[in-house]
């Protein structure tokens, strides 16, 4: 691939920064330095994939806990980039090296939802790798997959060489060792797979179905957790510090696959969690943090953990997110403390609206618990509440749906008692039976039933609620893929052939394509979504070590008897089969807090007076020209926080640092000199050593050059002598002269622009336009308007800018 030519044309693509290694904390290991190479893929868009915590863990393990293997990343490009790669005949490449994925030893997929299965095939196609494992020779990488979806690996088996079932940390290291041995001894792919299948958790479809025991990572050793993760420059969905506080859940909600799949229960100590949080902040400068878990308030030291975490977060201006809070027994006073830095919405997940149905799904929560918490939150000034429900649950009746809207009305009426506008939202998913849950045999409701329930809720819910519903057809597809067998693989391949891709995105989902594919594969959709007989084998029965079928059947019986099963940390082991005797005994060390109650020591309100200002000079060249102004702001925010610059903050609930980049530079334009002015709450003089530290972690092409101190009311904008542009390309000199000598012109957005006051001088020579521009009332000529006027755009010319300051 001609990288320079490729990069020049990349400006045509939306968010080009997503396709280049423009991130902080990239490992300093080149493709040729280590003999074993992994390309790790979350098969969705960059914005989604970069939010996946599991991928970050495996990335860290391979790159830092071995000296012979490296791990790079690849994501599914957006449709415009897919078309661009196909047009240019460029195979999909890994971000760090920009080398083709097919040149790696492993291509590993992380699968957390069945709706990305078609994306897996698209990644293979774009990588110029045959879809079916049987068609791939020795020259292609080992294609592997892991994640909760692989608890039923059968629908993807024809396309995957090797599955890792369960926790991947230690298995991936062993696979790397085996690949090193393969290369040293010249073994064939089949010989490698025959050795790999002996590892715990590894399933190799080409070697036939045999019992596979789920891999379990015991102890959550700290060295296996990343404290210097890759930090994206472009916006992603969950762009924050993530600390895995615990793994596994023993609540036993009968619809929840993760709750059973991630057993046994393991947790980190308070000191270790805070230590990981502190180190990660020091290495990233993130503004937000989250404690990852399935039920964080079940942490045995929860009442000690939260004050310790909040103390650090408050001191470092970090907003704290705590998903999956247990509602029962929660004190509303605590919610106010939790959101002291960044006040957002509070989430409550009743799942069902009647006590009867909550017993069926094993959700230990009463209506009184819900309404008392709602009352307490409104009383304390909270205005944003979110609720999550599930429709189509086993044994659900019309009365349960009616009760659901009645519950929303009760919440609405409580809110009316308190002053201020309320922002209420309710999300509704459709129950999907998943493998290794007590409901794995249950039916999926028909599309007609789903629409009827949705229509009833829409008609009867209070208008004060913003309602969000999962698309019934998407949920149906998820159900078909989750419990699919060998025939489903054929339907998947057909659907992909007919255009299925990005099925979890409403704008790309095409249910008609899937209907055709299932029909041609000989699968009757209506039959497939029916209840499964409990005495018939299931496609995933050969997977062992998750939870036993005997236990699941017992739980299913209790569900129909409307009987709850308490957490085994409360009443003792229920015999699910996921834990060893030692792990069962160790649960005594992790008792569930009887009450969710803690107190955060009062903290003084932090004041950020404007004391001084500093101006940093920087350049933006090479790959960094594809960063937008918002991207650069994001990078600088984290750089300043990471290195402890005393930046002034502004904002009551969501404080943000006060700095500004003068005369914002467009995406795709290089620059020799730019200025960012930073407001400070205490005196601070930057030095050369600090500049070097900045530059050691900045994305490629973004570089600080120096800094000067300013008076607290001073701005270099008034001292900008001129803005110089050099534009190289093929253009009509007469047209350029006419444009630059015009008094006014209509720009690309239809607005009239006064041109002549902004143009100080210009030169045209041998395919280069040199523009000397004035700054008038804090603005200058928009270079994209100029290119529009001369019939060009940033993909057809090369543009370099320089701000000249008269110091």
């Amino acid at each position: 691939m001609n990288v320079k030519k490729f990069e020049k044309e990349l400006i045509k693509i939306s968010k080009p920064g997503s396709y280049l290694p423009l991130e902080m904390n990239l490992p300093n290991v080149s493709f040729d330095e280590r003999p074993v190479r992994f390309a790790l893929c979350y098969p969705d868009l960059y914005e989604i994939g970069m939010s996946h915590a599991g991928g970050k863990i495996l990335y860290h393990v391979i790159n830092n806990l071995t000296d012979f293997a490296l791990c790079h990343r690849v994501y599914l490009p957006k449709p415009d980039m897919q078309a661009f790669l196909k047009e240019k005949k460029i195979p999909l490449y890994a971000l760090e090296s920009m080398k083709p994925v097919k040149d790696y030893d492993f291509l590993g997929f992380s699968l957390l939802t069945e709706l990305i299965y078609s994306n897996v095939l698209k990644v293979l196609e774009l990588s110029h790798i045959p879809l079916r494992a049987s068609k791939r020779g020795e020259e292609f990488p080992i294609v592997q997959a892991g994640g909760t979806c692989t608890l039923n690996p059968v629908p993807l088996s024809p396309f995957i060489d090797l599955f890792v079932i369960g926790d991947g940390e230690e298995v991936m290291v062993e696979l790397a060792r085996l690949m090193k041995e393969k290369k040293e001894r010249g073994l064939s792919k089949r010989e490698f797979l025959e050795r790999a299948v002996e590892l715990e958790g590894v399933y190799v479809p080409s070697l036939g179905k045999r019992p596979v025991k789920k891999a379990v990572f015991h102890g959550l050793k700290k060295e296996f957790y990343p404290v210097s993760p890759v930090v994206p420059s472009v916006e992603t969905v969950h762009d924050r510090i993530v600390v895995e506080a615990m793994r596994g859940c023993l609540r036993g909600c009968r619809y929840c696959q993760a709750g059973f799949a991630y057993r046994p229960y393991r947790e980190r100590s308070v000191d270790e969690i805070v230590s990981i949080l502190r180190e990660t902040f020091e290495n990233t400068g993130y503004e937000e943090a989250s404690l990852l878990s399935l039920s964080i308030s079940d942490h045995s030291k929860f009442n000690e953990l939260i004050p310790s975490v909040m103390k650090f977060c408050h001191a470092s201006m970090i907003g704290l997110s705590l998903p999956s809070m247990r509602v029962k027994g929660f004190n509303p006073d605590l919610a106010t403390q939790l959101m002291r830095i960044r006040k957002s919405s509070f989430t409550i997940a009743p799942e069902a609206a009647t006590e009867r149905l909550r017993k069926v799904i094993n959700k230990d929560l009463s209506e009184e618990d819900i309404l008392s918490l709602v009352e307490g939150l409104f009383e304390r000034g909270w205005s944003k509440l979110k609720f999550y429900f599930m429709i189509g649950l086993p044994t659900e009746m019309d009365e349960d749906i009616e009760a659901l809207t009645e519950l929303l009305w009760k919440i609405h009426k409580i809110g009316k008692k308190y002053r201020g506008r309320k922002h209420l939202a309710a999300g509704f998913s459709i129950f999907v039976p998943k493998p290794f849950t007590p409901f794995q045999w249950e039916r999926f409701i028909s599309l007609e039933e789903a629409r009827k329930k949705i229509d009833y809720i829409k008609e009867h819910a209070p208008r004060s609620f913003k309602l969000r519903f999962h698309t019934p057809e998407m949920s149906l597809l998820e159900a078909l893929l989750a419990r699919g067998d060998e025939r489903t693989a054929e339907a998947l391949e057909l659907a992909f052939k007919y255009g299925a891709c990005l099925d979890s995105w409403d704008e790309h989902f095409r249910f008609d394509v899937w209907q055709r594919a299932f029909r041609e594969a000989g699968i009757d959709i209506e039959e497939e979504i029916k209840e499964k007989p409990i005495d018939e084998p299931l496609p995933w029965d050969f997977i062992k070590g998750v939870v036993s079928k005997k236990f699941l059947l017992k739980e299913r019986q209790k569900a129909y008897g409307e009987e709850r099963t308490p957490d085994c940390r409360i009443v003792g082991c229920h015999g699910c089969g996921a834990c060893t005797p030692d792990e069962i005994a160790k649960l005594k060390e992790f008792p569930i807090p009887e009450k969710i109650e803690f107190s955060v020591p009062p903290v003084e309100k932090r004041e950020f007076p404007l004391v001084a200002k500093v101006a940093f000079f920087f350049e933006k060249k090479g790959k960094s020209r594809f960063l937008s102004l918002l991207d650069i702001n994001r990078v600088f925010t984290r750089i300043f926080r990471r290195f402890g610059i005393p930046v002034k903050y502004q904002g009551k609930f969501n404080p943000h640092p006060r700095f500004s980049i003068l005369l914002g530079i467009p995406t795709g334009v290089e620059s020799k000199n730019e200025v960012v002015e930073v407001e400070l709450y205490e005196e601070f003089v930057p030095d050369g050593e600090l500049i070097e530290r900045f530059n050691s972690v900045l994305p490629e092409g973004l570089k600080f050059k120096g800094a000067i101190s300013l008076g607290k009311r001073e701005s270099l904008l008034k001292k900008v002598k001129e803005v110089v542009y050099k534009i190289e390309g093929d253009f009509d000199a007469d047209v350029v002269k006419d444009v630059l000598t015009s008094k006014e012109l209509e720009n690309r957005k239809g607005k009239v622009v006064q041109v002549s006051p902004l143009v100080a001088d210009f030169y045209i020579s041998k395919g280069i336009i040199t523009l000397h521009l004035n700054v008038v009332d804090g603005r200058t000529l928009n270079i994209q308007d100029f290119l529009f006027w001369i019939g060009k755009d940033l993909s057809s010319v090369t543009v370099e800018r320089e701000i000249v300051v008269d110091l």
Side-chain angles (χ1 to χ4, degrees), residues 16 177 192 382 505 510 521 528 590 596 632 725 746 752 782:
R177 293 188 197 282
F192 168 83
W382 285 75
W505 296 79
R510 294 175 55 194
E528 284 300 304
F590 306 125
I596 303 176
I632 297 172
Y725 279 97
E746 193 173 283
V752 175
N782 186 306

Side-chain angles (χ1 to χ4, degrees), residues 391 428 430 449-459 469-472:
I391 61 176
F428 302 86
I430 302 173
E449 289 175 277
R451 294 189 190 107
K452 182 180 176 183
K453 294 173 190 289
I454 290 171
D455 288 344
Y456 181 89
I457 295 168
K458 286 180 177 178
E459 183 179 349
F469 298 90
H470 280 209
T471 305

Side-chain angles (χ1 to χ4, degrees), residues 167-197:
D167 298 328
E169 287 96 330
E170 294 168 320
V171 181
M172 295 292 275
V173 173
E174 291 307 310
L175 287 173
R177 293 188 197 282
L178 283 179
M179 179 56 70
K180 182 171 181 284
E181 180 187 353
K182 174 187 182 297
K183 289 190 160 190
E184 290 172 348
R185 297 178 55 187
L187 301 179
S188 67
K189 182 181 286 189
R190 184 171 181 85
E191 287 173 316
F192 168 83
L193 293 173
E194 287 172 346
R195 285 165 169 75
V197 80

Side-chain angles (χ1 to χ4, degrees), residues 72-111:
H72 291 162
R73 294 159 300 131
V74 61
Y75 302 99
L76 178 69
K78 291 180 181 177
D80 63 340
M81 182 62 169
Q82 293 177 25
F84 177 75
L85 292 174
K86 285 187 175 182
E87 178 193 344
K88 304 297 180 183
K89 295 183 173 57
I90 298 172
L92 189 60
Y93 55 88
L95 274 177
E96 288 81 352
S97 66
M98 297 192 72
K99 289 183 177 292
V101 168
K102 63 180 181 179
D103 290 352
Y104 285 72
D105 300 306
F106 293 94
L107 170 57
F109 291 101
S110 296
L111 305 175

Side-chain angles (χ1 to χ4, degrees), residues 693-707:
R693 292 172 69 199
F694 281 0
N695 292 337
S696 69
V697 297
L698 281 170
E700 180 183 343
L702 200 58
K703 182 180 178 182
F704 279 91
K705 300 164 63 179

Side-chain angles (χ1 to χ4, degrees), residues 240-307:
R240 59 195 182 194
I241 298 170
V242 177
V243 182
E244 187 184 28
M246 48 203 270
R247 189 178 298 184
C249 177
L250 302 174
R251 285 283 162 185
C253 297
R254 294 176 179 129
Y255 56 84
C256 179
Q257 186 183 47
F260 295 100
Y262 290 134
R263 297 183 181 192
Y265 178 82
R266 293 144 286 175
E267 72 176 35
R268 298 186 191 278
S269 69
V270 172
D271 288 345
E272 187 169 299
I273 292 169
V274 175
S275 173
I276 291 173
L277 175 60
R278 178 181 294 107
E279 289 180 55
T280 307
F281 173 73
E282 291 170 355
N283 292 327
T284 64
Y286 270 128
E287 309 95 294
E288 295 185 37
S290 175
L291 299 182
L292 181 63
S293 69
L294 291 175
S295 182
I296 186 62
S297 52
D298 285 342
H299 191 286
S300 65
K301 304 295 183 183
F302 181 77
N303 293 325
E304 299 172 29
L305 172 64
I306 298 307

Side-chain angles (χ1 to χ4, degrees), residues 766-791:
K766 295 180 181 179
I768 297 177
I769 305 169
T770 304
L771 284 179
H772 294 265
L773 302 178
N774 296 320
V775 177
V776 179
D777 296 329
R779 63 185 182 87
T780 188
L781 188 69
N782 186 306
I783 197 64
Q784 289 172 301
D785 285 342
F786 171 71
L787 293 176
F788 168 73
W789 293 325
I790 66 171

